[in-house]
């Protein structure tokens, strides 16, 4: 998958989690914008991460989650692509 | 008729850090509204661990005295008449009004409107009679840094104020839920040296902070006992996350005031950042459990290392603080 494709899927997850939490969210998100701008707090972020883990079928270490890599869609996509690449090699 | 004490583009909003509660966020936005400094609040607060209360804040000065020192006088109101009329009177008198509300009745609050009773505070600086609206500073998501200028309908103001009186006033620490504020001087009365005051305050309260490490040990041991007992964890998980949020928030406040007032970048900031990181890992683990309910004793035993990290990072912070004050 390309970064663009991964970002698109993550964007859908972000929108869906925001809607579940009654947040108003645009249909198109800026991939480099901090998710906090859309009202994603630490609880919604973990909910989102669980959805991403289920979608891409890998687990994200709790320590990685506080590294700052999950601040925006672009960062999450990079992380997912790195994880997928590791999975393919092993 | 339309009256606005200030135009939107002249209003500076405070969204740097969530300062414990929306009550303080509104006070900070009030200070910003009058171009006053928030540092006096930051200088007089001391955060410390307490096994019974988890995280406490000792305040050297009363909030209203701090506002007074910044040249803002506050008059408490107990409206006998309609709150909407009272607010208009305040604004007609060139004052801004601050009211406590229940966001359950604020129709623009998608996260709580008709869903959840939640206290909040609003700063009101104008109104428009024809459109039946008030010009306000308020946030749109609970506990978030989304303070902005908003137009709120008179009906929302009336209902949300009443909601607060009915649902929260009795149980809150507040004796009032409406006050208006005005400037008593164009300039602050004194030249306040924020850094010296913060340092003095931290020196005076250092034993409170350093004794807190023993309290933290007790708190962490209790967390470990909870997470290794599935039944107890299920019962206490939400409280545990709330507590962890309070620890993180207090540490973020320390980071903010040291960065902003001390312009600190060295050992002290590193120690605070490490404290925040280790508390964040705890929050992630707990929140993940609350969402998935997948209990793995092994994962929680692994959390012991994280709890030990929290303790040793806090010790490092106290040592760094001692050297710096």
């Amino acid at each position: 998958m390309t970064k663009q494709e991964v970002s698109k899927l993550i964007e859908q997850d972000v929108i869906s989690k925001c809607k579940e939490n009654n947040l108003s969210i645009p249909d198109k998100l800026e991939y480099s914008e901090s998710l906090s701008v859309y009202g994603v707090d630490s609880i919604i972020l973990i909910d989102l991460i669980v959805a991403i883990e289920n979608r891409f079928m890998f687990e994200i270490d709790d320590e990685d989650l506080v590294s700052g890599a999950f601040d925006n869609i672009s960062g999450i996509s990079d992380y997912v692509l790195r994880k997928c690449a590791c999975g393919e090699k092993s | 008729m339309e009256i606005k004490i200030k135009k939107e583009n002249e209003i500076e909003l405070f969204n740097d850090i969530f300062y414990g509660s929306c009550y303080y966020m509104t006070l900070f936005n009030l200070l910003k509204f009058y171009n006053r400094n928030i540092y006096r609040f930051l200088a007089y607060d001391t955060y410390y661990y307490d096994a019974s209360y988890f995280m406490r804040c000792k305040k050297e000065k009363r909030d209203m005295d701090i506002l007074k020192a910044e040249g803002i006088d506050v008059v408490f109101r107990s409206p006998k008449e309609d709150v909407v009329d009272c607010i208009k009177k305040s604004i007609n008198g060139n004052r801004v009004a601050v009211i406590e509300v229940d966001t359950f009745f604020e129709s623009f609050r998608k996260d709580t409107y008709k869903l959840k009773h939640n206290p909040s505070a609003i700063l009101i600086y104008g109104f428009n009679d024809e459109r039946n609206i008030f010009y306000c500073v308020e946030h749109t998501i609970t506990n978030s840094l989304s303070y902005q200028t908003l137009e709120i309908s008179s009906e929302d103001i009336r209902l949300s104020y009443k909601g607060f009186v009915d649902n929260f006033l009795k149980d809150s620490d507040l004796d009032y839920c409406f006050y208006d504020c005005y400037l008593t001087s164009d300039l602050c009365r004194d030249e306040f040296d924020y850094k010296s005051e913060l340092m003095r305050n931290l020196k005076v309260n250092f034993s409170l902070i350093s004794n807190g490490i023993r309290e933290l040990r007790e708190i962490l041991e209790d967390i470990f006992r909870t997470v290794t007992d599935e039944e107890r964890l299920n019962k206490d998980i939400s409280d545990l996350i709330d507590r962890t949020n309070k620890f993180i928030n207090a540490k973020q406040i320390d980071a903010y005031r040291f960065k902003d007032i001390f312009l600190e970048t060295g050992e002290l900031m590193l120690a605070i950042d490490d404290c925040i990181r280790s508390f964040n890992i705890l929050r992630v683990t707990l929140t993940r459990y609350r969402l998935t309910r997948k209990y793995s004793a092994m994962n929680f035993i692994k959390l012991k290392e994280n709890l030990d990290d929290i303790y040793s990072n806090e010790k490092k912070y106290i040592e760094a603080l001692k050297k710096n004050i």
Side-chain angles (χ1 to χ4, degrees):
Chain A
M1 283 177 101
T2 65
K3 183 172 175 180
Q4 186 62 26
E5 288 164 338
V6 173
S7 297
K8 188 79 204 152
L9 292 172
I10 292 167
E11 180 186 32
Q12 285 168 13
D13 287 340
V14 172
I15 291 171
S16 138
K17 289 297 161 196
C18 285
K19 285 187 175 162
E20 277 174 30
N21 285 280
N22 299 304
L23 298 173
S24 34
I25 183 113
D27 295 334
K28 180 83 193 86
L29 308 182
E30 286 293 330
Y31 292 174
S32 58
E33 189 77 88
S34 169
L35 292 176
S36 62
V37 168
Y38 302 114
V40 175
D41 62 13
S42 55
I43 311 287
I44 302 173
L45 179 65
I46 308 298
D47 200 5
L48 171 68
I49 293 307
V50 171
I52 290 169
E53 286 176 333
N54 291 337
R55 182 190 278 282
F56 294 100
M57 295 196 295
F58 58 71
E59 275 195 19
I60 299 170
D61 292 337
D62 290 352
E63 293 206 15
D64 289 346
L65 281 173
V66 299
S67 65
F70 292 83
D71 186 52
N72 55 41
I73 291 174
S74 178
I76 301 174
S77 306
D78 287 336
Y79 183 92
V80 167
L81 286 167
R82 274 200 307 276
K83 270 279 198 183
C84 291
C86 287
E88 279 164 17
K89 278 176 200 162
S90 59
Chain B
M1 180 172 61
E2 181 185 75
I3 295 187
K4 266 188 202 175
I5 292 175
K6 228 174 182 183
K7 287 182 189 148
E8 280 72 15
N9 59 6
E10 295 168 343
I11 298 173
E12 197 189 336
L13 298 161
F14 181 77
N15 275 314
D16 290 0
I17 184 166
F18 193 78
Y19 202 80
S21 69
C22 42
Y23 167 78
Y24 281 103
M25 294 305 287
T26 301
L27 286 192
F28 285 10
N29 274 304
L30 173 71
L31 284 159
K32 290 279 179 189
F33 185 88
Y34 284 127
N35 301 319
R36 298 304 153 104
N37 210 316
I38 62 158
Y39 287 170
R40 218 180 274 261
F41 273 97
L42 302 188
Y44 288 130
D45 285 354
T46 304
Y47 288 88
Y48 61 99
Y49 296 101
D50 178 313
S52 308
Y53 295 88
F54 310 111
M55 182 57 91
R56 297 191 86 173
C57 177
K58 183 184 172 200
K59 293 190 166 289
E60 289 299 314
K61 304 268 181 195
R62 289 171 58 234
D63 297 341
M64 296 307 151
D65 291 338
I66 295 180
L67 290 179
K68 206 166 203 162
E70 286 291 328
I72 298 170
D73 257 9
V74 172
V75 180
F76 301 115
R77 303 277 176 204
S78 311
K80 304 268 184 296
E81 54 195 303
D82 182 15
V83 68
V84 162
D85 293 336
C86 286
I87 297 168
K88 285 181 185 171
K89 265 188 206 164
S90 298
I91 291 163
N92 278 324
N94 205 30
R95 296 170 177 211
V96 296
V98 175
I99 61 164
E100 301 286 335
V101 295
D102 180 351
T103 62
F104 183 89
F105 301 99
E106 288 183 324
S107 55
F108 63 93
R109 288 285 298 259
K110 294 221 163 100
D111 60 336
T112 54
Y113 180 57
K114 291 188 176 171
L115 292 170
K116 191 181 164 196
H117 291 279
N118 176 60
S120 185
I122 309 181
L123 173 71
I124 307 173
Y125 62 93
F127 64 88
N128 184 317
D129 268 340
E130 279 144 37
R131 295 175 54 216
N132 248 327
I133 52 150
F134 282 97
Y135 300 108
C136 308
V137 174
E138 164 65 312
H139 62 341
T140 51
I141 302 162
T142 305
N143 291 353
S144 73
L145 295 172
S146 56
Y147 282 86
Q148 54 195 277
T149 55
L150 287 169
E151 296 178 356
I152 304 181
S153 73
S154 301
E155 195 53 16
D156 274 14
I157 292 283
R158 185 178 286 117
L159 290 175
S160 59
Y161 175 81
K162 186 178 179 303
F164 184 88
V165 173
D166 292 346
N167 298 314
F168 294 106
L169 188 59
K170 263 188 288 170
D171 301 326
S172 83
D173 301 332
L174 304 172
D175 302 323
Y176 51 85
C177 44
F178 176 1
Y179 50 94
D180 60 24
C181 317
Y182 60 99
L183 274 186
T184 52
S185 63
D186 289 337
L187 293 167
C188 291
R189 291 171 198 161
D190 53 3
E191 280 298 317
F192 186 75
D193 183 346
Y194 303 103
K195 184 174 173 177
S196 303
E197 273 306 292
L198 174 61
M199 287 176 77
R200 188 200 57 75
N201 190 41
L202 289 171
K203 246 184 211 164
V204 168
N205 290 302
F206 183 72
S207 62
L208 199 61
I209 300 168
S210 61
N211 289 340
I213 193 82
R214 283 198 299 270
E215 304 284 313
L216 177 64
R217 169 60 87 197
E218 222 179 287
I219 293 167
L220 296 173
E221 281 170 359
D222 189 55
I223 292 175
F224 187 65
R225 280 193 294 273
T226 306
V227 299
T228 46
D229 176 341
E230 190 175 358
E231 202 181 322
R232 191 171 158 190
L233 180 61
N234 283 332
K235 189 165 88 44
D236 293 347
I237 185 72
S238 294
D239 283 346
L240 265 185
I241 293 170
D242 286 348
R243 248 174 262 165
T244 310
N245 281 337
K246 285 199 175 98
F247 296 139
I248 292 171
N249 190 230
K251 288 287 148 198
Q252 284 170 335
I253 289 169
D254 268 342
Y256 178 73
R257 60 187 183 170
F258 284 121
K259 263 183 205 161
D260 235 47
I261 304 179
F262 268 162
L263 303 175
E264 178 66 48
T265 53
E267 189 184 15
L268 189 59
M269 273 317 299
L270 281 177
I272 296 178
D273 286 344
D274 283 345
C275 288
I276 294 173
R277 188 186 48 79
S278 48
F279 271 122
N280 265 328
I281 294 173
L282 173 64
R283 176 164 66 183
V284 165
T285 309
L286 295 173
T287 310
R288 194 193 275 275
Y289 175 70
R290 187 167 73 178
L291 292 167
T292 60
R293 295 285 164 170
K294 281 185 198 157
Y295 187 82
S296 151
M298 276 315 288
N299 279 352
F300 285 114
I301 287 168
K302 207 176 134 197
L303 193 70
K304 179 81 174 71
E305 282 171 32
N306 175 234
L307 298 176
D308 290 342
D309 276 350
I310 291 174
Y311 184 73
S312 63
N313 288 332
E314 191 62 34
K315 264 178 105 172
K316 273 187 225 156
Y317 162 68
I318 289 170
E319 280 157 23
L321 184 64
K322 195 176 180 180
K323 277 190 222 162
N324 278 268
I325 56 174

